[in-house]
Amino acid sequence: MTGPEGAPPHLVVHPDKERMARATAARLVTAVVDAQTARGGAHVALTGGRNGNALLAALAGAPGRDAVDWSRVDLWWGDERFLPDGDPDRNHTQAREAFLDAVPLDPARVHPMPASDGPHGDDVDAAAEAYAAELAAAAGRGGGTGGGPLPFDVLLLGLGPDTHVASLFPGHPAVREDRRAVVGVREAPKPPPTRISLTLPAVRAAREVWLLAAGGDKAEAAAGALAADDPLRTPAAGARGRERTLWILDEAAAALLPDSARG
Ligand code: 6PG
């Protein structure tokens, strides 16, 4: 795999995680309104994790929230824990609690990744293939790509302390995937061990990739990933959008960044 393609990261640093979540929620409202103005709809890929859920909670309470026509937003997930539907550890469950029920989404446009008690049972590979097919259908239907991978308008990612993004962990087979858009992940170092994840090619099809990291426990990962160029060892280094890549941090997560990185 050659070095990361796509737009180099642009850093945005907020004083603390609360203001980071509120500012990013406002940024997302604007991005979705712009996408709907330009293309009639918006495709947003959500992330699990504390920062992803904090953003969704801030979005639920954002003053400008209703500037978005939520009935024309397609929500996807960058990854999911492969657990039974409704399990409290599923990203979809946590997103529902934080946000999904707060706005008038079209249920047909909310695309959770399959659960382990769904039509594919515990076959995580079949579940991943089904999600890839759903993405491909959306891309063909109106994603504006002529059959390529779906170009999410915004793809959100959290940053793991080991520099993982979605469920793409350093040195894990899923990081090497350069053909399929969605894969099953087994023996993930972050519990639960079985997951479904977009691959780096699917991430890189996004127009914009926004990576969220708050807290001192992410400072080393943020500095390391921004300096790295080998996605196999540092998956976050490969998470770049075609048009823009934002690294949205709080001061604690940015603490080890060189001044040069802060523009
Ligand atoms: C997951 C997430 C994962 C998460 C990072 C950061 O399913 O666990 O998608 O990629 O975003 O591990 O998590 P925190 O924001 O909680 O540190």
Side-chain angles (χ1 to χ4, degrees):
M1 180 179 296
T2 56
E5 297 109 26
H10 172 71
L11 217 55
V12 179
V13 183
H14 294 284
D16 54 48
K17 64 183 178 192
E18 291 76 18
R19 280 178 275 186
M20 173 178 142
R22 287 200 298 273
T24 310
R27 180 187 294 275
L28 188 56
V29 166
T30 301
V32 171
V33 170
D34 286 353
Q36 292 185 326
T37 303
R39 290 176 287 279
H43 291 270
V44 177
L46 304 179
T47 181
R50 291 162 298 177
N51 289 302
N53 291 327
L55 168 55
L56 291 180
L59 190 56
R65 180 191 84 184
D66 296 333
V68 171
D69 177 352
W70 292 103
S71 71
R72 287 186 294 122
V73 173
D74 280 79
L75 291 181
W76 305 86
W77 271 262
D79 74 330
E80 185 56 277
R81 294 87 180 273
F82 195 55
L83 296 165
D85 187 32
D87 187 291
D89 280 344
R90 269 178 59 87
N91 293 332
H92 177 228
T93 308
Q94 295 174 10
R96 177 164 300 293
E97 287 161 4
F99 170 69
L100 298 184
D101 294 338
V103 291
L105 292 158
D106 175 353
R109 289 176 180 249
V110 179
H111 311 276
M113 287 181 161
S116 62
D117 58 352
H120 312 287
D122 63 359
D123 184 342
V124 68
D125 297 316
E129 278 172 35
Y131 203 69
E134 192 173 352
L135 279 167
R141 201 170 43 243
T145 65
L150 184 68
F152 301 107
D153 294 287
V154 177
L155 183 141
L156 299 166
L157 292 170
L159 176 67
D162 59 359
T163 76
H164 77 259
V165 289
S167 289
L168 302 175
F169 295 91
H172 212 276
V175 183
R176 297 176 186 280
E177 179 62 46
D178 58 7
R179 190 177 46 81
R180 291 175 291 169
V182 190
V183 291
V185 174
R186 293 177 176 81
E187 297 172 22
K190 177 179 180 181
T194 308
R195 292 157 166 260
I196 299 174
S197 184
L198 296 188
T199 59
L200 284 179
V203 168
R204 290 195 187 122
R207 288 182 169 89
E208 298 200 14
V209 169
W210 300 1
L211 186 138
L212 311 172
D217 62 320
K218 300 298 173 70
E220 205 171 314
L226 278 172
D229 66 1
D230 177 4
L232 296 183
R233 293 171 53 195
T234 315
R240 294 191 171 187
R242 287 185 296 131
E243 296 169 12
R244 189 156 76 146
T245 304
L246 289 183
W247 277 51
I248 303 173
L249 313 178
D250 70 351
E251 283 292 354
L256 299 181
L257 296 185
D259 290 342
S260 58
R262 299 184 63 152

